[in-house]
Amino acid sequence: MPRAVTLIRSASLSDVAEYAYAATAPAESRLIFLAGACPLNEDGSTAAPGDVAGQAARAVENMRTALADSGASLRDVISTRVLVACHRREDLVTAWEVVRDAFGDHDVPSTLMGVTVLGYDGQLVEIEAVAAVLDS
């Protein structure tokens, strides 16, 4: 199945980043803008209290569900923003590693941000995403 997303590497920028620096989608693609995927269980409770990695994994799982319901998958994501309520860089890295591993070689452009607080009780992680698909 052809994909709409093309990841762009830049030989002019550092190769230390674990993601592509840019991505494109053709004009005929359908864009999907996801609300922030939160680490919520089906009953609305916050998953994995106090566990950044566990919350990141649940947020990725919920993002996969929202993408599937939109006719897309992680391979169709064109960019992400990972928000982590923390004051330690190590927590940012922990969340990022979970997200990075979920995407594998589809290393979309991404922004990793430490924030003061997120919306749900005990929430530490939220993942925003945009996807692009070519409808047949």
Side-chain angles (χ1 to χ4, degrees):
M1 174 163 116
R3 297 283 179 192
V5 177
T6 300
L7 300 179
I8 299 168
R9 315 273 176 215
S10 176
S12 302
L13 297 170
S14 171
D15 64 357
V16 72
E18 297 178 332
Y19 47 80
Y21 278 101
T24 63
E28 65 272 15
S29 61
R30 175 172 55 94
L31 296 179
I32 303 166
F33 297 87
L34 281 78
C38 298
L40 299 179
N41 296 314
E42 289 182 15
D43 66 1
S45 63
T46 302
D51 178 2
V52 171
Q55 287 198 11
R58 183 57 192 223
V60 168
E61 181 181 328
N62 290 343
M63 181 173 52
R64 285 182 198 268
T65 299
L67 285 164
D69 290 347
S70 301
S73 73
L74 289 182
R75 303 291 297 175
D76 299 307
V77 171
I78 195 166
S79 69
T80 66
R81 181 177 301 133
V82 181
L83 309 168
V84 185
C86 68
H87 63 275
R88 297 174 349 123
R89 183 179 175 279
E90 294 82 10
D91 291 335
L92 289 169
V93 171
T94 296
W96 171 248
E97 288 172 345
V98 171
V99 174
R100 178 201 62 206
D101 291 350
F103 278 88
D105 66 350
H106 186 66
D107 54 346
V108 300
S110 191
T111 299
L112 177 61
M113 297 174 58
V115 298
T116 303
V117 66
L118 291 167
Y120 291 99
D121 186 39
Q123 181 183 359
L124 301 173
V125 177
E126 188 163 333
I127 307 167
E128 296 177 11
V130 176
V133 295
L134 294 171
D135 293 322
S136 300

